[in-house]
Amino acid sequence: MPTRVLDVGGHSSTLRLVITDGLKADWVALSHCWGTTARFVTTKGNIDDYAQHLNLTDLPPTFQDAINVTRTLGYKYLWIDSLCIIQDSHGDWTREAGQMQRYYKHAILTINADSAAGDHEGFLSHARQSDRDAFCIPFKANGLGPCQAYIRKSFRNSLWHEESPLSQRAWTLQEDLLSPRTIHYNAGELNWECQKHRIVESDATPLGTDDAAFSVLNKRHFLKPETAAEDPLVIRYPGFRYHFQPLERWYILFEDYCRREITFNSDRLPAIAGLARELSQQGSLTYMAGLWKEDLHTSLAWSVDSRGESVEKYLAPSWSWASLKINVHWGSNVYPAFELYGKVRNWLPDLELPHAECLDYSLGLEGDDPYGRLRSGRLRLKGRMLSFADWAGKSPTHFNTYWRNVKSHLYWYFRAPGVHPPDALDQMICSLDVDPGFDDEDESYDQLDISPKTEQKKSIEAGEQAQHDPLPQYIEGTLAESVSNASLSDSIQNCETDSVAATWDPSVLNSVYLFQIAIFKPYGNDKNHQSKRLCYALMLKAVDTTPGAFRRVGLAEVPIITGLAEVGWEKSIINIL
């Protein structure tokens, strides 16, 4: 059992917080939004009092409703995070947060207060719109006397409850998925969900077996991925079995997680630690500050198109998405399909070609939980590196940003609003992690050219024709004559538009290097796509205080035509902090 549970047995108005100390019994868990008003929590100052008694009427409405449901179902113990964890004890919070996977995974049932935006609202007492809109038909039945039947409109969105307050919070994703059985108290109706089906109040037909449900019912087979062979979708489409593999499930769930809100940036790793621990156990995988060592090339290839914000308190090493406060919703009207791993999903690193090799890594933990908060981190890689100023592509480098349409050499794969092809096949496309402070009203940024002026550019053998090829392809070849970018300061001065200097901070690219992760290829056996290849490279900046160390500042799409990903790149061993 959890370290502490709330004893709600009987029908008394007096409750108490129990230290289980080896006690074995079933318990119900609550998943809820705390809200922004006064919170009812356990602290070092009141835990002794709560162990003696708690008055039911003193608890917020959501807690009272959860106790009512627990008692009605015949259970004695209820686990509520805000009551069962000492909130002002760093040690207790760290230990208990590391047990979240176990508490929800082994709960007999989880109550999801989906419709309540805070504990002050409750989820049982307010009238549902569906009830107000229903109309009554009286009738008589043999042996039952007068009866009533109510008819109401059907719910089109019973399967899709993303708009509920609870589904917008980061912590509640793992609470939902780790729970083998969940009752959802939505605004419109009651939902039951387990690892096989979802059944809604208005329709007893199990949901989750049609094609549209694949990406929605994430709980299905999450705790038992070995049952994927029995899934109706896998039976219809055998290739779907790939999506039930632990790492693939992680990327699906991770994108959902990133779209959710979190109160404290320092909780970004702990709030998904339970899912990470579960997947690590399923696949014998090594977790590295939000990344996976066994899939490191894909894990490193996240990008945010300048949506990141630096934070004062250390969160994670720069090579992890957890190092930033990421404003996922910025620019969503421009690029609605934005995902941190959207550019590499369903693409595989071709490890038969040159790729980065992980030599070593280390993480400094804040506590004892390797999935939780961190104090430091280092990643040691061996691979191919190039100074940003030495990039030999003839076309101006493009920078994707959240406030405008993005470009990608894989635009033909996305076919999504806001994704456009590059200006030329030798154009490098970069995505900075942190907003560099460009003026989004200044159109001069669109003409930013960090390469030498046209008259300074030298032709690249076989390059002219390649630029007009409609799709990027892997072409074996070398540069007949290596052409370097001018120094950064010269590049800024040589821009076609003089006003660019006022909106582009040159320091953003000072001492920036490109370090190749791998060349990626499409997943599957489609022969029409097998010729498509694209290199992804980390954008790194030297750390002034640590010789030989770098920090990540972005991700680059490096075209591999005419040897652009080969000539000039030097084998290097680096440390990324």
Side-chain angles (χ1 to χ4, degrees):
M1 291 187 72
T3 303
R4 306 176 192 88
V5 290
L6 190 63
D7 185 346
V8 302
H11 298 281
S12 171
S13 60
T14 301
L15 316 168
R16 68 188 183 95
L17 197 62
V18 175
I19 299 176
T20 57
D21 194 22
L23 179 67
K24 294 183 179 181
D26 291 329
W27 70 92
V28 175
L30 174 66
S31 180
H32 62 115
C33 291
W34 291 28
T36 57
T37 58
R39 298 172 176 176
F40 199 97
V41 300
T42 295
T43 65
K44 290 183 288 186
N46 61 29
I47 186 171
D48 290 338
D49 291 337
Y50 289 177
Q52 297 299 319
H53 70 277
L54 273 167
N55 291 324
L56 179 64
T57 54
D58 292 338
L59 299 179
T62 291
F63 292 5
Q64 294 186 37
D65 288 347
I67 291 169
N68 187 6
V69 173
T70 302
R71 285 175 166 176
T72 301
L73 294 175
Y75 295 104
K76 184 178 181 180
Y77 298 111
L78 175 64
W79 189 83
I80 303 176
D81 53 359
S82 50
L83 278 182
C84 297
I85 300 176
I86 305 174
Q87 297 299 319
D88 61 349
S89 169
H90 176 75
D92 190 75
W93 189 96
T94 300
R95 285 190 300 273
E96 293 299 293
Q99 296 296 317
M100 296 281 270
Q101 175 211 17
R102 185 170 64 86
Y103 292 170
Y104 282 100
K105 181 177 179 178
H106 296 292
I108 193 68
L109 175 73
T110 296
I111 300 169
N112 274 28
D114 290 81
S115 61
D119 292 332
H120 62 286
E121 293 186 6
F123 56 87
L124 293 179
S125 59
H126 56 275
R128 302 184 300 184
Q129 183 64 40
S130 56
D131 295 335
R132 291 194 293 266
D133 294 340
F135 61 90
C136 176
I137 301 178
F139 66 95
K140 292 183 178 180
N142 293 334
L144 296 179
C147 299
Q148 296 175 326
Y150 288 86
I151 298 178
R152 66 184 186 186
K153 295 181 179 178
S154 62
F155 288 86
R156 295 179 61 244
N157 294 325
S158 293
L159 185 61
W160 310 79
H161 56 246
E162 285 84 353
E163 297 303 319
S164 71
L166 193 66
S167 65
Q168 301 301 309
R169 304 301 302 172
W171 276 98
T172 61
L173 176 64
Q174 66 176 10
E175 296 170 5
D176 183 21
L177 294 175
L178 291 169
S179 303
R181 292 162 292 274
T182 304
I183 299 179
H184 294 273
Y185 284 88
N186 293 322
E189 61 181 350
L190 198 66
N191 289 191
W192 162 268
E193 187 178 10
C194 63
Q195 294 171 65
K196 295 187 67 176
H197 301 295
R198 178 180 292 167
I199 298 177
V200 299
E201 184 180 336
S202 59
D203 186 354
T205 304
L207 302 174
T209 59
D210 61 342
D211 294 4
F214 170 71
S215 62
V216 181
L217 296 182
N218 288 323
K219 187 192 293 286
R220 188 178 67 238
H221 304 306
F222 176 73
L223 297 181
K224 296 181 179 179
E226 65 275 7
T227 62
E230 305 170 5
D231 188 90
L233 284 174
V234 174
I235 294 175
R236 287 199 296 274
Y237 312 109
F240 271 35
R241 185 161 189 164
Y242 163 77
H243 296 286
F244 286 93
Q245 300 303 313
L247 282 175
E248 177 63 14
R249 297 304 285 168
W250 168 266
Y251 290 115
I252 293 174
L253 302 174
F254 176 77
E255 297 297 351
D256 183 358
Y257 176 74
C258 287
R259 288 189 288 268
R260 296 177 176 231
E261 299 175 358
I262 197 162
T263 302
F264 303 105
N265 289 319
S266 58
D267 288 352
R268 186 59 71 181
L269 284 174
I272 202 172
L275 289 180
R277 181 178 282 103
E278 178 66 29
L279 288 174
S280 177
Q281 293 171 357
Q282 287 182 12
S284 299
L285 303 172
T286 306
Y287 191 65
M288 301 167 51
L291 280 59
W292 298 98
K293 183 179 180 182
E294 290 76 9
D295 195 37
L296 187 60
H297 301 92
T298 298
S299 290
L300 285 171
W302 56 270
S303 60
V304 295
D305 297 340
S306 298
R307 285 176 171 85
E309 286 186 67
S310 298
V311 294
E312 293 184 3
K313 183 179 179 181
Y314 184 89
L315 300 178
S318 66
W319 38 269
S320 169
W321 50 267
S323 63
L324 301 172
K325 176 184 178 183
I326 301 174
N327 301 287
V328 173
H329 298 286
W330 284 4
S332 59
N333 59 321
V334 176
Y335 184 12
F338 171 75
E339 296 179 341
L340 267 72
Y341 285 101
K343 296 182 178 67
V344 291
R345 283 294 307 281
N346 296 325
W347 288 72
L348 299 174
D350 191 338
L351 301 184
E352 294 181 359
L353 298 175
H355 58 275
E357 178 184 352
C358 179
L359 301 180
D360 186 26
Y361 79 96
S362 63
L363 296 172
L365 308 181
E366 187 170 294
D368 297 327
D369 186 4
Y371 301 89
R373 292 173 176 169
L374 301 172
R375 295 184 183 276
S376 62
R378 177 184 60 84
L379 178 63
R380 188 171 177 81
L381 297 177
K382 178 181 180 181
R384 301 199 294 186
M385 193 171 188
L386 177 74
S387 171
F388 189 90
D390 291 336
W391 170 247
K394 293 174 60 178
S395 302
T397 298
H398 176 81
F399 289 82
N400 284 335
T401 54
Y402 62 85
W403 64 77
R404 63 178 185 160
N405 294 333
V406 302
K407 294 181 180 180
S408 174
H409 285 275
L410 306 180
Y411 73 97
W412 54 273
Y413 168 77
F414 285 99
R415 301 192 184 281
V419 183
H420 296 271
D423 297 328
L425 289 187
D426 72 336
Q427 183 176 47
M428 183 165 60
I429 299 175
C430 298
S431 169
L432 295 176
D433 294 341
V434 177
D435 186 346
F438 302 131
D439 184 356
D440 58 345
E441 300 296 330
D442 192 337
E443 296 183 356
S444 62
Y445 176 66
D446 290 334
Q447 287 82 44
L448 178 64
D449 184 349
I450 60 168
S451 63
K453 296 184 67 170
T454 303
E455 61 268 25
Q456 295 175 308
K457 299 174 182 176
K458 301 180 180 180
S459 63
I460 301 178
E461 186 175 281
E464 287 294 335
Q465 180 60 37
Q467 290 191 52
H468 299 288
D469 195 323
L471 291 177
Q473 297 186 8
Y474 186 73
I475 299 176
E476 293 289 350
T478 59
L479 293 176
E481 199 169 356
S482 179
V483 182
S484 300
N485 276 357
S487 65
L488 183 62
S489 59
D490 291 340
S491 299
I492 298 301
Q493 294 174 4
N494 290 334
C495 287
E496 302 287 349
T497 306
D498 293 337
S499 60
V500 171
T503 58
W504 172 267
D505 181 3
S507 65
V508 173
L509 298 177
N510 282 347
S511 304
V512 169
Y513 294 84
L514 301 169
F515 189 90
Q516 292 186 16
I517 301 173
I519 294 174
F520 284 74
K521 61 181 180 180
Y523 173 79
N525 299 315
D526 188 340
K527 294 182 179 179
N528 293 327
H529 290 170
Q530 285 305 304
S531 62
K532 317 294 189 303
R533 298 287 194 276
L534 183 65
C535 178
Y536 279 99
L538 296 175
M539 299 178 67
L540 305 174
K541 191 170 184 178
V543 177
D544 295 335
T545 57
T546 308
F550 297 84
R551 61 181 176 85
R552 173 185 157 136
V553 295
L555 184 76
E557 286 189 5
V558 177
I560 59 178
I561 62 170
T562 64
L564 284 175
E566 300 174 14
V567 176
W569 297 76
E570 298 181 355
K571 294 182 179 180
S572 305
I573 296 178
I574 63 170
N575 290 295
I576 310 177
L577 305 182

